[in-house]
Amino acid sequence: MSTSQSAAAPHPARRRFTRPVPVSVNGVVIPSAAIARETQHHQASDPDQAWMLAAQALAIRELLSQEAERLSIVAEPIEDGEGRRETPHEARLRALIEREVVVPSADEGACRRYYDANIRRFRSPDLFEAAHILFVAAPDDIAARVRARESAMALVGQLAEEPAGFAAAAAAHSACPSSKQGGNLGQVSTGQTVPEFEAALRGMIPGLVHAEPVESRYGLHVVRLDRRVDGEVLPFDLVRDRIADYLDEAVRRRAQQQYVSILAGRAQVAGVDLAAARGPLVQ
């Protein structure tokens, strides 16, 4: 490659994002500086994505502002539960949405259907009281894994003959801080341990040591299950309000997005695609 070719090729670390054409709503241009400031409020994988999200947000606000002006919307700023007070502009946009976007509340039947279709979401977690002895071995250290498995297998055999020796074995061999408590992990619930460990607990009988070592990214575990308490399905009456709030919010977001689509369809919007916009209209 020639020197001139090398100089012309952009270094990956110096790549600059490409800003789109100027953004405007019915001839009102949204300054690039305003979009740049707005990007800090939008998480994105790259600068282009952040710029696009910020441009969409500001274009929607401008679109709503123009509609509020057209409808002569007047509103008094209010405070939220944390003492934050709206600006007059935020109050007008809120009042516009409240007036123009009608959102029906989820009734008893809708909540019941959601509950029945998603019953697993409303089950309390299983609880396990367990103990373990950890032989540390990095996942990519094959030799260490072999040694750890051999040691763990030998210990499983010993404990099968002398179960009462678990605490002493944990104190002597375990690399986990729980070794000071005889390997006792206390009470753990769904999602609090690595998947392999949890899967082993689910298949065990309380009071017994797992028939073979359990392998995880930390090494090899000799596991004993002391007690298991299966989770229970929460009654509908206990979660009905939570379901209603979730369904109401989902319907509200869809209705607001449809409202923006209708307004955008009547407007002259340049430099941004409002049909792809997501998220709350008023923040």
Side-chain angles (χ1 to χ4, degrees):
M1 179 182 290
S2 67
T3 303
S4 60
Q5 289 175 320
S6 177
H11 190 281
R14 297 172 185 167
R15 178 181 177 273
R16 296 178 63 85
F17 68 92
T18 303
R19 294 181 180 178
V21 297
V23 177
S24 65
V25 179
N26 291 324
V28 177
V29 176
I30 299 175
S32 295
I35 298 176
R37 288 193 298 271
E38 177 68 18
T39 57
Q40 66 183 307
H41 303 299
H42 301 272
Q43 294 184 348
S45 57
D46 59 67
D48 283 338
Q49 179 74 3
W51 180 271
M52 183 271 290
L53 294 174
Q56 285 180 340
L58 294 185
I60 288 173
R61 291 177 206 170
E62 177 60 33
L63 187 66
L64 295 174
S65 294
Q66 292 180 17
E67 185 66 5
E69 182 68 25
R70 186 183 75 82
L71 297 176
S72 300
I73 299 293
V74 178
E76 285 294 323
I78 60 176
E79 291 186 358
D80 62 14
E82 299 179 4
R84 293 173 297 194
R85 188 170 181 80
E86 293 177 318
T87 65
H89 181 255
E90 291 170 341
R92 290 189 75 193
L93 298 192
R94 172 184 50 77
L96 172 68
I97 297 301
E98 291 175 350
R99 169 179 154 175
E100 297 297 308
V101 182
V102 179
V103 182
S105 297
D107 59 18
E108 189 82 4
C111 293
R112 172 66 73 174
R113 287 191 294 274
Y114 185 86
Y115 175 81
D116 291 339
N118 298 273
I119 197 70
R120 290 186 179 181
R121 296 188 179 187
F122 306 108
R123 185 176 182 275
S124 61
D126 297 330
L127 298 176
F128 306 93
E129 290 182 8
H132 81 142
I133 298 168
L134 172 63
F135 293 87
V136 172
D140 58 351
D141 191 334
I142 297 176
R145 286 260 158 175
V146 170
R147 291 193 298 271
R149 176 169 288 279
E150 290 175 348
S151 298
M153 283 294 296
L155 187 55
V156 167
Q158 293 175 23
L159 292 174
E161 297 179 1
E162 190 182 352
F166 195 99
H173 303 291
S174 183
C176 178
S178 64
S179 62
K180 297 178 181 179
Q181 290 81 43
N184 197 331
L185 294 172
Q187 197 173 77
V188 296
S189 64
T190 303
Q192 290 186 330
T193 63
V194 292
E196 304 92 335
F197 197 93
E198 184 175 315
L201 292 177
R202 291 189 179 281
M204 293 179 65
I205 298 174
L208 298 182
V209 174
H210 201 277
E212 61 181 35
V214 176
E215 188 168 354
S216 78
R217 62 176 176 268
Y218 300 110
L220 278 296
H221 308 255
V222 176
V223 184
R224 185 187 69 203
L225 177 63
D226 297 324
R227 183 169 175 258
R228 172 176 176 164
V229 180
D230 291 332
E232 298 180 350
V233 175
L234 299 175
F236 173 74
D237 290 342
L238 193 63
V239 296
R240 191 249 184 247
D241 290 345
R242 191 198 318 171
I243 293 173
D245 290 343
Y246 172 80
L247 294 179
D248 287 349
E249 179 61 21
V251 172
R252 183 180 300 109
R253 283 179 176 268
R254 286 197 298 270
Q256 290 180 354
Q257 289 163 7
Q258 290 172 357
Y259 181 59
V260 166
S261 296
I262 292 171
L263 293 181
R266 300 172 182 167
Q268 296 294 322
V269 181
V272 67
D273 180 13
L274 296 188
R278 294 291 184 269
L281 303 188
V282 182
Q283 296 179 328

